[in-house]
Amino acid sequence: APDLGLSQELLTQVIKNDYSKFINGTARPRGGEKSLTRILCAVQQILGIEYCPVLPDIATMMLAYMPESYVYATLREMIGDTSNFLPVCLKDHYAWCKTYYFFVKRMFPQAYKVMMLCGALTVEGLDPIFKRFFRTLLKPDDALHFLDIFLVEGCKAIFRLSLSLVGLLSKNELKTINFTDATSWWNAIKAITLSPTFSFQKHLDKKVYPRFGKATRRYPKRRVLSRMIRYNEQWALDNMPVYIDQTPPKPMGYIPGKPIILAKPALVRSNLVKWLPVALKSTKLDLIYSTENDGRSLSAFYEKCKRTKHTIVLIEAMTKSSNNKVTIGMFASQSWNVHPTSYGDGECFLFRADPDAKCFHWTPDFSSGFDDIENQVIREQFMVARNEYLAMGANADGTNGLRLDQDLNQGESYPALGFGNEPLAGENMKSFEVGTVEVYRLVRDVDGKAVDREVDESVWNLGGM
């Protein structure tokens, strides 16, 4: 599952260890881990969120008592809210941390000095708040109680509670406790909040939402918070690192019960998921054509593929002079049908899956200008589907980036304009014999449905008109 900046190690801990703590210590609900994975994938792939480290913990707590669909709908509304409900990118995360730093300095000057010295006010030092959503600072029941408040109050609740926790340590404790690092600071806070004698409700009543006294005026209001967060966005841009998603490439799954051959190695499926467009990464492979089962001919190939866009073609390339086998292929953005002209678009790509995996995406050429029409036409021959052959990519001399003959027995691969590919089967294997050929459509992980609806041919039946 995507960790959204939390780290895979902490995400595993959330899924494997923390989940059951929110359901009275009992075993995790059946399918709970899959539900969380589906939600995180949907947040990343559908809502486009790459960085929001508090979200896995929030989703985990919500799943303990809410249906999966409700949890996703709630998170979608939070992310779409314009009042800074959640930090939904690295810039927001840094701006929130800087805003917290400002209010600690203003409201708790003595604690501020100690926190600065031990590193508890650095972005990394604030992880218990802005990455773990107080999960490590509060008892499970107290964390759930606060979640209810947060769902109504938004970021205002996070800042109120986090600032109130700073005030738990007395002036004497600030002087006597040896704070060596950020962990030691938060351990001192946890010693209080996790104590059996600590009443979270009393803390809320007296420190977080008091009805009377100076504390009612000390916490920043929502409008002030929003202004400070926006003000600190430039600081965030100047100080944040370049975020690289550390989610390891998980091999694409496949629909069981079908005799797949070329896509069976996990290495092949790991490479494929890296190359696919973002919107298609959370999918499984579903075999729709194989020379081993459906016959070795282009007509059979077209018949099986004509209703499906977005297909992956895997080809086993061999040569007479060598027993080596290379798995190569192409990704098609349109369905394979016999066409009088070339078609497709720039989403198409060529690849070698195993060995020495490489992907060759199509790129436009603006250097030749619009007058070089012939070059542009050749460069944009993405997919070519004839009765005699099929191909992807082309050159002025008639060669192709990848081409298969009518009987799917012979193939060739040359560097093609636009794709900039190597001969896929090897530098000395521009022509090769074809072994197994397999075609896969893509099925969504979330609901098991194909990403492309099959074309209803009855729509085009014009009989009787």
Side-chain angles (χ1 to χ4, degrees), residues 7-25:
S7 85
Q8 285 293 311
E9 182 181 357
L10 287 177
L11 180 62
T12 300
Q13 179 182 323
V14 168
I15 295 174
K16 300 293 184 183
N17 302 326
D18 293 349
Y19 196 95
S20 60
K21 295 178 182 179
F22 296 103
I23 43 178
N24 301 320

Side-chain angles (χ1 to χ4, degrees), residues 254-260 287:
Y254 58 85
I255 303 299
K258 297 186 178 183
I260 71 169
L287 182 68

